[in-house]
Amino acid sequence: MTANNSDALTELLQQARSCTICNGLPLGPRPLLQASGNARILIASQAPGSKTHGKGRTFDDASGNRLRRWLGVTPDQFYDPEMFAILPMGFCYPGTGTGGDLPPRPQCAANWRKPLLQAMPHIELTLVVGQYALDWHLGERKSRTLTETVKRWQEFWPELLPLPHPSPRNIRWFKANPWFESDVIPALQQRVRSLL
């Protein structure tokens, strides 16, 4: 990555981290993301939860523990922006609705996603976590349900991998789909090792 590209990404990250486009959120804006022009793996997730908002670090919760286990990496590796870029669809905690956390605010992806992705030219694997990230990254290529899309994972491999959200709330999904742990996770871990 050239110095100019590095400077542009540094400036973009500073702007994104000080963004207040979603003023009025229940806990206020606190953009959580990490990126580097050298990162080879992108985690495209949904939005921070209330716990990670409070801690100021994305995936610093039970979901993150499961995701790191899937990847076969340590927290130090996971939080190294030279290894992993983490760009949620919404950088701030959106609040809670009747069925759990609200969807990511659409203004975030509309304003930040394309310029940040363009500033990371070395991404070789994009992990697409959850329905909102699938909508953005796969569009018409996704199936009717998350399960159907994840079952087709080899169609997108090795550049992209659709994943269910690693939340403990999805334990029923993991139990109903044992093929995910037996087939997908070993391939994912091997690919991550090859990129790191």
Side-chain angles (χ1 to χ4, degrees):
M1 183 170 200
T2 67
N4 287 346
N5 287 346
S6 179
D7 292 345
L9 180 56
T10 299
E11 185 175 329
L12 268 172
L13 287 170
Q14 288 173 347
Q15 292 170 359
R17 288 181 176 128
S18 61
C19 179
T20 58
I21 198 168
C22 292
N23 248 340
L25 290 170
L27 300 180
R30 187 178 192 181
L32 301 181
L33 66 154
Q34 77 178 35
S36 158
N38 297 320
R40 297 174 71 192
I41 301 171
L42 168 66
I43 298 171
S45 55
Q46 262 179 208
S50 59
K51 286 182 184 178
T52 55
H53 174 93
K55 293 179 179 181
R57 191 160 78 161
T58 187
F59 283 112
D60 192 2
D61 57 8
S63 295
N65 292 338
R66 176 174 277 124
L67 180 56
R68 286 184 287 279
R69 192 172 70 246
W70 287 351
L71 297 168
V73 299
T74 66
D76 286 342
Q77 290 172 310
F78 186 81
Y79 290 112
D80 182 346
E82 297 293 313
M83 295 183 180
F84 289 92
I86 304 174
L87 295 183
M89 296 307 297
F91 298 155
C92 300
Y93 171 62
T96 303
T98 54
D101 288 349
L102 292 171
R105 292 282 181 98
Q107 304 93 313
C108 191
N111 281 276
W112 296 112
R113 201 145 199 88
K114 284 185 181 176
L116 283 165
L117 291 174
Q118 288 171 351
M120 294 186 293
H122 300 294
I123 297 296
E124 294 185 43
L125 172 62
T126 298
L127 305 175
V128 186
V129 182
Q131 195 63 52
Y132 296 100
L134 285 169
D135 289 345
W136 199 91
H137 284 270
L138 289 179
E140 296 296 316
R141 296 185 300 157
K142 70 181 182 58
S143 296
R144 188 178 54 82
T145 68
L146 174 100
T147 302
E148 290 170 2
T149 303
V150 176
K151 280 184 177 178
R152 294 175 38 231
W153 68 278
Q154 290 176 312
E155 294 177 31
F156 313 108
W157 190 254
E159 291 82 21
L160 187 143
L161 180 64
L163 293 172
H165 198 284
S167 169
R169 291 181 189 159
N170 282 341
I171 197 73
R172 186 179 299 161
W173 190 94
F174 304 130
K175 287 181 178 178
N177 297 282
W179 54 267
F180 177 75
E181 291 271 353
S182 64
D183 300 346
V184 180
I185 296 305
L188 172 59
Q189 290 179 352
Q190 183 177 17
R191 178 86 168 117
V192 168
R193 281 194 301 271
S194 74
L195 292 173
L196 299 183

